[in-house]
Amino acid sequence: MALQCGIVGLPNVGKSTLFNCLSNTKAQSANFPFCTIEPNVGVITVPDERLNKLVDIVNPRNVVPATVEIVDIAGLVKGASKGEGLGNKFLANIRETDAILHVLRCFDNDNITHVDGSVDPVRDKEIIDYELQFKDLETVEARLARTLKQAQTGGDKVARLQADVLLAYKEALLQGKPARSVVFETKDEQKFARELFLLTNKPVLYVCNVDDASAVTGNKYVEAVREAIKDENAELMIVAAQTESEIAELETYEERQEFLQEIGLQESGVARLIRAAYALLNLQTYFTAGEVEVRAWTFMKGSKAPQCAGIIHTDFEKGFIRAEVIKYDDFVNLGGESAVKEAGKMGVEGKEYVVQDGDIMHFRFNV
Protein backbone atom coordinates (compact mmCIF):
# COMPACT_ATOMS: atom_id res chain seq x y z
CA MET A 1 0.00 0.00 0.00
CA ALA A 2 2.08 2.89 -1.34
CA LEU A 3 0.83 5.74 0.82
CA GLN A 4 3.40 8.39 1.61
CA CYS A 5 4.11 10.96 4.30
CA GLY A 6 6.10 13.96 3.11
CA ILE A 7 8.55 15.67 5.48
CA VAL A 8 8.38 19.43 4.90
CA GLY A 9 9.81 22.53 6.53
CA LEU A 10 11.96 25.56 5.96
CA PRO A 11 15.66 25.01 5.21
CA ASN A 12 17.88 24.06 8.16
CA VAL A 13 15.14 22.95 10.55
CA GLY A 14 16.40 19.35 10.76
CA LYS A 15 14.33 17.68 8.03
CA SER A 16 17.11 15.69 6.41
CA THR A 17 18.68 14.79 9.75
CA LEU A 18 15.34 13.38 10.83
CA PHE A 19 14.83 11.61 7.50
CA ASN A 20 18.26 9.98 7.82
CA CYS A 21 17.30 8.70 11.27
CA LEU A 22 14.03 7.35 9.95
CA SER A 23 15.28 5.61 6.86
CA ASN A 24 18.93 4.87 7.62
CA THR A 25 19.69 6.38 4.22
CA LYS A 26 22.04 9.34 4.03
CA ALA A 27 20.21 12.24 2.44
CA GLN A 28 22.43 15.26 2.02
CA SER A 29 22.51 17.35 5.17
CA ALA A 30 24.31 20.68 5.04
CA ASN A 31 24.02 24.16 6.47
CA PHE A 32 22.49 25.83 3.42
CA PRO A 33 19.10 25.88 1.66
CA PHE A 34 18.08 23.51 -1.16
CA CYS A 35 20.54 20.81 -0.18
CA THR A 36 17.84 18.22 -0.75
CA ILE A 37 16.60 18.84 -4.28
CA GLU A 38 15.14 15.50 -5.38
CA PRO A 39 12.74 14.01 -2.84
CA ASN A 40 14.38 11.08 -1.08
CA VAL A 41 12.03 8.19 -0.36
CA GLY A 42 12.53 5.83 2.56
CA VAL A 43 10.50 2.65 3.04
CA ILE A 44 10.49 2.36 6.81
CA THR A 45 9.58 -0.53 9.09
CA VAL A 46 6.78 0.27 11.53
CA PRO A 47 7.82 -0.69 15.09
CA ASP A 48 5.21 -3.08 16.49
CA GLU A 49 5.80 -5.15 19.60
CA ARG A 50 2.78 -7.29 18.72
CA LEU A 51 4.66 -8.72 15.74
CA ASN A 52 7.56 -9.70 17.99
CA LYS A 53 5.24 -11.53 20.39
CA LEU A 54 3.58 -13.43 17.55
CA VAL A 55 7.02 -14.49 16.28
CA ASP A 56 7.97 -15.74 19.75
CA ILE A 57 4.84 -17.93 19.84
CA VAL A 58 4.81 -19.21 16.24
CA ASN A 59 8.58 -19.37 15.54
CA PRO A 60 8.11 -18.92 11.76
CA ARG A 61 10.73 -19.29 9.03
CA ASN A 62 10.08 -15.75 7.79
CA VAL A 63 8.91 -12.43 9.30
CA VAL A 64 7.54 -9.45 7.33
CA PRO A 65 6.76 -6.21 9.21
CA ALA A 66 4.47 -3.37 8.10
CA THR A 67 6.13 -0.44 6.35
CA VAL A 68 5.39 3.20 5.62
CA GLU A 69 6.94 5.45 2.97
CA ILE A 70 8.51 8.76 4.05
CA VAL A 71 9.54 11.38 1.48
CA ASP A 72 12.09 14.09 2.28
CA ILE A 73 10.98 17.13 0.28
CA ALA A 74 13.22 20.11 -0.58
CA GLY A 75 13.10 23.05 1.85
CA LEU A 76 10.63 25.82 1.06
CA VAL A 77 11.09 29.61 1.23
CA LYS A 78 8.75 32.59 0.99
CA GLY A 79 7.24 33.00 -2.45
CA ALA A 80 7.15 29.29 -3.28
CA SER A 81 3.55 29.59 -4.49
CA LYS A 82 4.82 32.11 -7.05
CA GLY A 83 7.74 29.89 -8.07
CA GLU A 84 10.44 31.32 -5.79
CA GLY A 85 13.33 29.02 -4.95
CA LEU A 86 12.26 25.45 -5.66
CA GLY A 87 8.65 26.41 -4.98
CA ASN A 88 6.85 24.78 -7.91
CA LYS A 89 8.74 21.52 -7.42
CA PHE A 90 8.13 21.65 -3.67
CA LEU A 91 4.38 22.12 -4.11
CA ALA A 92 4.18 19.37 -6.74
CA ASN A 93 5.99 16.95 -4.42
CA ILE A 94 3.64 17.76 -1.54
CA ARG A 95 0.61 17.22 -3.77
CA GLU A 96 1.80 13.66 -4.45
CA THR A 97 1.95 12.75 -0.75
CA ASP A 98 -0.97 11.61 1.40
CA ALA A 99 -0.02 13.31 4.67
CA ILE A 100 2.49 15.87 5.91
CA LEU A 101 5.11 15.76 8.64
CA HIS A 102 5.86 19.46 9.18
CA VAL A 103 9.20 19.87 10.96
CA LEU A 104 9.61 23.06 12.99
CA ARG A 105 12.86 24.29 14.50
CA CYS A 106 12.35 24.58 18.25
CA PHE A 107 15.96 24.88 19.39
CA ASP A 108 18.63 27.57 19.66
CA ASN A 109 22.01 26.99 18.02
CA ASP A 110 24.19 29.86 16.80
CA ASN A 111 26.15 27.46 14.59
CA ILE A 112 23.11 26.60 12.46
CA THR A 113 21.84 29.58 10.51
CA HIS A 114 18.13 30.22 10.19
CA VAL A 115 16.90 31.30 6.78
CA ASP A 116 15.02 34.20 8.43
CA GLY A 117 17.70 35.08 10.96
CA SER A 118 15.99 34.01 14.21
CA VAL A 119 14.21 31.05 15.81
CA ASP A 120 10.43 31.41 15.69
CA PRO A 121 8.60 28.15 14.88
CA VAL A 122 5.15 29.78 14.71
CA ARG A 123 6.40 32.26 12.10
CA ASP A 124 8.06 29.39 10.20
CA LYS A 125 4.82 27.42 10.30
CA GLU A 126 2.89 30.42 8.99
CA ILE A 127 5.33 30.88 6.08
CA ILE A 128 4.64 27.37 4.80
CA ASP A 129 0.94 27.62 5.68
CA TYR A 130 0.67 30.79 3.60
CA GLU A 131 2.32 29.23 0.56
CA LEU A 132 0.09 26.14 0.70
CA GLN A 133 -3.04 28.16 1.40
CA PHE A 134 -2.28 30.56 -1.45
CA LYS A 135 -1.95 27.66 -3.86
CA ASP A 136 -5.19 26.13 -2.57
CA LEU A 137 -6.97 29.47 -2.96
CA GLU A 138 -5.89 29.56 -6.62
CA THR A 139 -7.32 26.06 -7.08
CA VAL A 140 -10.60 26.89 -5.33
CA GLU A 141 -11.18 30.19 -7.14
CA ALA A 142 -10.47 28.68 -10.56
CA ARG A 143 -12.98 25.89 -9.91
CA LEU A 144 -15.51 28.19 -8.24
CA ALA A 145 -15.90 30.51 -11.24
CA ARG A 146 -17.04 27.60 -13.46
CA THR A 147 -19.15 25.93 -10.79
CA LEU A 148 -21.11 29.05 -9.81
CA LYS A 149 -21.98 29.64 -13.44
CA GLN A 150 -23.36 26.11 -13.77
CA ALA A 151 -25.32 26.41 -10.53
CA GLN A 152 -26.88 29.78 -11.41
CA THR A 153 -27.69 29.30 -15.08
CA GLY A 154 -28.65 25.63 -15.17
CA GLY A 155 -30.13 25.11 -11.72
CA ASP A 156 -27.75 22.21 -11.33
CA LYS A 157 -28.13 20.78 -7.79
CA VAL A 158 -24.75 19.04 -7.90
CA ALA A 159 -23.09 22.26 -9.01
CA ARG A 160 -24.84 24.11 -6.17
CA LEU A 161 -23.50 21.64 -3.62
CA GLN A 162 -20.01 21.92 -5.10
CA ALA A 163 -20.21 25.70 -5.08
CA ASP A 164 -21.15 25.65 -1.38
CA VAL A 165 -18.12 23.50 -0.61
CA LEU A 166 -15.83 25.76 -2.62
CA LEU A 167 -17.24 28.89 -1.00
CA ALA A 168 -16.67 27.40 2.47
CA TYR A 169 -13.09 26.63 1.56
CA LYS A 170 -12.56 30.06 0.06
CA GLU A 171 -13.79 31.77 3.22
CA ALA A 172 -11.51 29.67 5.43
CA LEU A 173 -8.46 30.18 3.22
CA LEU A 174 -9.00 33.94 3.05
CA GLN A 175 -9.02 33.94 6.86
CA GLY A 176 -5.64 32.17 6.87
CA LYS A 177 -7.10 28.82 7.94
CA PRO A 178 -6.23 25.46 6.33
CA ALA A 179 -8.84 23.56 4.33
CA ARG A 180 -8.82 20.75 6.93
CA SER A 181 -10.35 23.18 9.45
CA VAL A 182 -13.60 23.10 7.44
CA VAL A 183 -15.94 20.24 8.39
CA PHE A 184 -18.72 19.08 6.06
CA GLU A 185 -21.78 17.19 7.25
CA THR A 186 -23.00 15.21 4.24
CA LYS A 187 -21.24 12.36 2.40
CA ASP A 188 -21.67 14.14 -0.94
CA GLU A 189 -19.94 17.26 0.39
CA GLN A 190 -17.16 15.19 1.92
CA LYS A 191 -16.66 13.23 -1.31
CA PHE A 192 -16.34 16.39 -3.42
CA ALA A 193 -14.04 17.98 -0.84
CA ARG A 194 -11.66 15.00 -1.10
CA GLU A 195 -11.72 15.15 -4.90
CA LEU A 196 -10.27 18.68 -4.82
CA PHE A 197 -6.97 17.33 -3.43
CA LEU A 198 -6.21 20.56 -1.62
CA LEU A 199 -2.75 20.81 -0.10
CA THR A 200 -4.01 22.12 3.24
CA ASN A 201 -6.63 19.37 3.47
CA LYS A 202 -3.95 16.73 4.01
CA PRO A 203 -3.56 15.47 7.59
CA VAL A 204 -0.61 17.12 9.34
CA LEU A 205 1.66 16.18 12.22
CA TYR A 206 3.79 19.06 13.48
CA VAL A 207 7.18 17.70 14.54
CA CYS A 208 8.89 20.04 16.99
CA ASN A 209 12.63 19.49 16.62
CA VAL A 210 14.15 20.33 20.00
CA ASP A 211 17.55 20.14 21.71
CA ASP A 212 18.63 17.24 23.91
CA ALA A 213 17.57 18.97 27.14
CA SER A 214 14.01 19.49 25.83
CA ALA A 215 13.46 15.99 24.41
CA VAL A 216 11.20 14.92 27.29
CA THR A 217 9.47 18.09 28.50
CA GLY A 218 9.53 20.37 25.45
CA ASN A 219 10.26 24.09 25.75
CA LYS A 220 8.78 27.56 25.17
CA TYR A 221 8.91 27.10 21.40
CA VAL A 222 6.91 23.86 21.59
CA GLU A 223 4.28 25.51 23.77
CA ALA A 224 3.98 28.37 21.28
CA VAL A 225 3.36 25.87 18.47
CA ARG A 226 0.85 23.95 20.59
CA GLU A 227 -1.12 27.16 21.15
CA ALA A 228 -0.94 28.11 17.46
CA ILE A 229 -2.43 24.82 16.22
CA LYS A 230 -5.09 24.27 18.90
CA ASP A 231 -7.98 24.90 16.48
CA GLU A 232 -6.36 23.33 13.44
CA ASN A 233 -7.31 19.64 13.65
CA ALA A 234 -3.62 18.64 13.61
CA GLU A 235 -1.29 16.65 15.86
CA LEU A 236 2.02 17.59 17.54
CA MET A 237 4.98 15.58 18.76
CA ILE A 238 8.44 16.39 20.14
CA VAL A 239 11.63 14.91 18.66
CA ALA A 240 15.29 15.78 19.20
CA ALA A 241 16.60 14.99 15.71
CA GLN A 242 20.29 15.44 16.54
CA THR A 243 19.93 13.20 19.58
CA GLU A 244 18.10 10.64 17.45
CA SER A 245 20.98 10.66 14.95
CA GLU A 246 23.40 9.90 17.80
CA ILE A 247 21.18 7.03 18.96
CA ALA A 248 21.06 5.64 15.41
CA GLU A 249 24.87 5.45 15.34
CA LEU A 250 25.00 3.11 18.35
CA GLU A 251 25.68 -0.50 17.43
CA THR A 252 23.45 -2.53 19.74
CA TYR A 253 19.86 -2.39 21.00
CA GLU A 254 21.17 -2.42 24.59
CA GLU A 255 23.37 0.63 23.96
CA ARG A 256 20.46 2.52 22.41
CA GLN A 257 18.15 1.69 25.32
CA GLU A 258 20.78 2.78 27.83
CA PHE A 259 21.19 6.10 25.99
CA LEU A 260 17.41 6.64 26.00
CA GLN A 261 17.17 5.93 29.73
CA GLU A 262 19.94 8.44 30.43
CA ILE A 263 17.93 11.23 28.78
CA GLY A 264 14.63 10.08 30.33
CA LEU A 265 12.90 8.51 27.29
CA GLN A 266 11.16 5.13 27.18
CA GLU A 267 11.69 4.73 23.44
CA SER A 268 13.21 6.68 20.59
CA GLY A 269 11.41 9.61 19.03
CA VAL A 270 11.95 7.95 15.65
CA ALA A 271 9.88 4.92 16.70
CA ARG A 272 7.11 7.16 17.97
CA LEU A 273 7.24 9.27 14.80
CA ILE A 274 6.98 6.25 12.48
CA ARG A 275 3.91 5.00 14.32
CA ALA A 276 2.43 8.50 14.29
CA ALA A 277 3.00 8.73 10.52
CA TYR A 278 1.31 5.35 10.06
CA ALA A 279 -1.71 6.51 12.06
CA LEU A 280 -1.73 9.88 10.26
CA LEU A 281 -2.26 7.98 7.00
CA ASN A 282 -5.28 6.28 8.63
CA LEU A 283 -3.51 2.92 8.45
CA GLN A 284 -3.88 -0.11 10.70
CA THR A 285 -2.39 -3.60 10.79
CA TYR A 286 -3.76 -7.12 10.66
CA PHE A 287 -1.58 -10.22 10.88
CA THR A 288 -1.27 -13.62 9.27
CA ALA A 289 0.58 -16.14 11.42
CA GLY A 290 1.84 -19.57 10.41
CA GLU A 291 4.99 -21.67 10.54
CA VAL A 292 6.08 -20.45 7.11
CA GLU A 293 5.57 -16.74 7.81
CA VAL A 294 4.31 -14.20 10.32
CA ARG A 295 3.39 -11.04 8.48
CA ALA A 296 1.92 -7.62 9.25
CA TRP A 297 -0.48 -6.40 6.55
CA THR A 298 -1.34 -2.73 6.19
CA PHE A 299 -4.96 -1.70 5.58
CA MET A 300 -7.04 1.44 5.66
CA LYS A 301 -8.97 1.87 8.89
CA GLY A 302 -12.59 0.87 8.37
CA SER A 303 -11.90 -1.69 5.63
CA LYS A 304 -14.07 -4.80 5.44
CA ALA A 305 -12.82 -8.38 5.30
CA PRO A 306 -12.93 -8.84 1.48
CA GLN A 307 -10.94 -5.63 0.93
CA CYS A 308 -8.32 -6.77 3.42
CA ALA A 309 -8.18 -10.18 1.77
CA GLY A 310 -7.53 -8.44 -1.55
CA ILE A 311 -4.37 -6.87 -0.11
CA ILE A 312 -2.83 -10.36 -0.07
CA HIS A 313 -4.08 -11.24 -3.56
CA THR A 314 -6.92 -10.01 -5.76
CA ASP A 315 -8.24 -13.61 -6.02
CA PHE A 316 -8.79 -13.60 -2.25
CA GLU A 317 -11.20 -10.69 -2.64
CA LYS A 318 -12.91 -11.93 -5.81
CA GLY A 319 -13.61 -15.35 -4.37
CA PHE A 320 -14.05 -14.36 -0.73
CA ILE A 321 -16.10 -16.86 1.28
CA ARG A 322 -15.35 -16.04 4.91
CA ALA A 323 -12.66 -14.85 7.27
CA GLU A 324 -11.47 -16.77 10.31
CA VAL A 325 -10.52 -14.15 12.90
CA ILE A 326 -8.52 -14.45 16.10
CA LYS A 327 -8.16 -11.47 18.38
CA TYR A 328 -4.55 -10.64 19.17
CA ASP A 329 -5.01 -10.79 22.95
CA ASP A 330 -6.60 -14.26 22.71
CA PHE A 331 -3.76 -15.53 20.49
CA VAL A 332 -1.10 -14.27 22.92
CA ASN A 333 -2.85 -15.14 26.17
CA LEU A 334 -3.79 -18.66 25.07
CA GLY A 335 -0.50 -19.35 23.32
CA GLY A 336 -1.36 -19.86 19.68
CA GLU A 337 -3.99 -20.81 17.10
CA SER A 338 -4.65 -24.37 18.28
CA ALA A 339 -5.34 -23.27 21.84
CA VAL A 340 -7.63 -20.49 20.58
CA LYS A 341 -9.67 -22.97 18.54
CA GLU A 342 -9.91 -25.36 21.47
CA ALA A 343 -11.20 -22.53 23.65
CA GLY A 344 -13.83 -21.65 21.03
CA LYS A 345 -12.40 -18.16 20.63
CA MET A 346 -11.92 -18.10 16.86
CA GLY A 347 -14.58 -16.05 15.06
CA VAL A 348 -15.98 -16.73 11.60
CA GLU A 349 -16.89 -13.52 9.79
CA GLY A 350 -18.54 -12.63 6.50
CA LYS A 351 -18.27 -9.89 3.91
CA GLU A 352 -19.52 -7.12 6.19
CA TYR A 353 -16.96 -7.66 8.93
CA VAL A 354 -14.91 -4.51 9.58
CA VAL A 355 -11.36 -5.67 10.27
CA GLN A 356 -9.89 -4.41 13.54
CA ASP A 357 -6.33 -3.35 14.26
CA GLY A 358 -4.38 -6.37 15.49
CA ASP A 359 -6.73 -9.05 14.14
CA ILE A 360 -5.07 -12.31 13.11
CA MET A 361 -6.77 -13.34 9.88
CA HIS A 362 -7.15 -16.46 7.75
CA PHE A 363 -9.20 -16.03 4.58
CA ARG A 364 -11.25 -18.72 2.86
CA PHE A 365 -11.88 -18.15 -0.84
CA ASN A 366 -12.76 -19.88 -4.08
CA VAL A 367 -12.19 -18.67 -7.65
Side-chain angles (χ1 to χ4, degrees):
M1 186 172 292
L3 295 179
Q4 295 182 336
C5 272
I7 298 184
V8 306
L10 294 181
N12 297 345
V13 298
K15 286 191 309 89
S16 294
T17 300
L18 192 57
F19 177 81
N20 289 338
C21 297
L22 287 167
S23 65
N24 291 324
T25 64
K26 296 297 178 186
Q28 298 174 64
S29 181
N31 189 21
F32 57 88
F34 311 134
C35 177
T36 309
I37 296 175
E38 295 300 325
N40 295 275
V41 181
V43 180
I44 298 160
T45 298
V46 179
D48 195 332
E49 187 57 33
R50 296 174 303 181
L51 184 68
N52 299 334
K53 289 186 178 179
L54 293 177
V55 169
D56 289 342
I57 292 170
V58 178
N59 193 26
R61 294 197 289 273
N62 191 37
V63 181
V64 182
T67 60
V68 62
E69 289 191 7
I70 306 289
V71 186
D72 182 24
I73 296 172
L76 174 145
V77 295
K78 289 179 183 177
S81 56
K82 300 180 178 67
E84 293 293 328
L86 297 169
N88 291 331
K89 194 172 189 64
F90 172 92
L91 294 166
N93 289 335
I94 287 186
R95 199 175 295 281
E96 291 169 4
T97 64
D98 302 284
I100 297 171
L101 305 177
H102 187 161
V103 182
L104 296 168
R105 177 172 170 173
C106 294
F107 65 89
D108 294 307
N109 187 331
D110 293 338
N111 294 321
I112 301 176
T113 59
H114 190 289
V115 71
D116 283 325
S118 62
V119 177
D120 185 343
V122 174
R123 176 203 58 208
D124 295 351
K125 168 192 171 304
E126 289 172 350
I127 288 171
I128 288 188
D129 284 351
Y130 173 81
E131 301 300 336
L132 300 184
Q133 289 165 11
F134 188 85
K135 206 66 181 176
D136 278 350
L137 189 59
E138 282 186 351
T139 300
V140 167
E141 288 183 331
R143 185 72 178 264
L144 185 59
R146 300 194 304 271
T147 307
L148 277 175
K149 189 174 182 181
Q150 291 172 344
Q152 291 167 353
T153 59
D156 188 331
K157 290 183 179 179
V158 173
R160 183 67 259 171
L161 177 144
Q162 293 178 349
D164 289 343
V165 169
L166 290 164
L167 286 167
Y169 276 146
K170 181 179 179 179
E171 182 180 354
L173 291 165
L174 286 173
Q175 292 175 6
K177 297 178 182 177
R180 64 182 168 275
S181 66
V182 182
V183 179
F184 296 105
E185 299 297 329
T186 71
K187 288 184 178 180
D188 288 339
E189 289 173 326
Q190 293 165 3
K191 181 175 181 293
F192 177 65
R194 287 193 299 272
E195 291 170 354
L196 292 170
F197 297 107
L198 298 180
L199 297 170
T200 63
N201 214 15
K202 295 178 186 291
V204 172
L205 172 67
Y206 290 100
V207 183
C208 293
N209 183 15
V210 301
D211 54 33
D212 190 351
S214 305
V216 177
T217 58
N219 56 31
K220 63 181 182 181
Y221 297 127
V222 174
E223 292 311 309
V225 174
R226 200 185 303 278
E227 177 64 22
I229 69 168
K230 64 182 181 181
D231 299 322
E232 204 178 290
N233 191 24
E235 302 293 328
L236 177 148
M237 73 174 297
I238 301 168
V239 172
Q242 189 57 45
T243 304
E244 295 292 329
S245 68
E246 293 170 13
I247 293 171
E249 294 296 325
L250 297 174
E251 293 294 328
T252 67
Y253 173 80
E254 288 73 19
E255 286 178 308
R256 291 192 289 272
Q257 288 303 113
E258 186 176 337
F259 190 111
L260 287 168
Q261 288 173 8
E262 285 178 4
I263 61 175
L265 292 174
Q266 296 295 316
E267 64 175 344
S268 75
V270 164
R272 290 183 290 111
L273 181 56
I274 295 170
R275 284 201 301 273
Y278 195 71
L280 195 65
L281 291 166
N282 206 29
L283 300 178
Q284 292 184 327
T285 302
Y286 75 82
F287 301 98
T288 51
E291 291 182 1
V292 174
E293 180 180 84
V294 169
R295 182 164 183 157
W297 298 88
T298 296
F299 68 98
M300 292 293 293
K301 184 178 180 180
S303 297
K304 294 182 179 179
Q307 295 170 284
C308 288
I311 295 168
I312 298 176
H313 196 286
T314 53
D315 285 350
F316 283 33
E317 183 173 5
K318 290 177 184 174
F320 179 89
I321 299 172
R322 66 180 182 272
E324 296 169 355
V325 183
I326 299 174
K327 295 301 177 185
Y328 170 79
D329 286 345
D330 290 335
F331 194 99
V332 172
N333 293 336
L334 294 172
E337 183 176 331
S338 297
V340 169
K341 287 180 177 178
E342 287 176 12
K345 292 279 191 177
M346 187 179 78
V348 178
E349 305 290 350
K351 293 182 178 180
E352 295 304 309
Y353 176 70
V354 177
V355 177
Q356 302 299 302
D357 186 45
D359 280 353
I360 297 157
M361 310 288 292
H362 182 73
F363 298 105
R364 300 291 183 180
F365 72 102
N366 184 30
V367 290

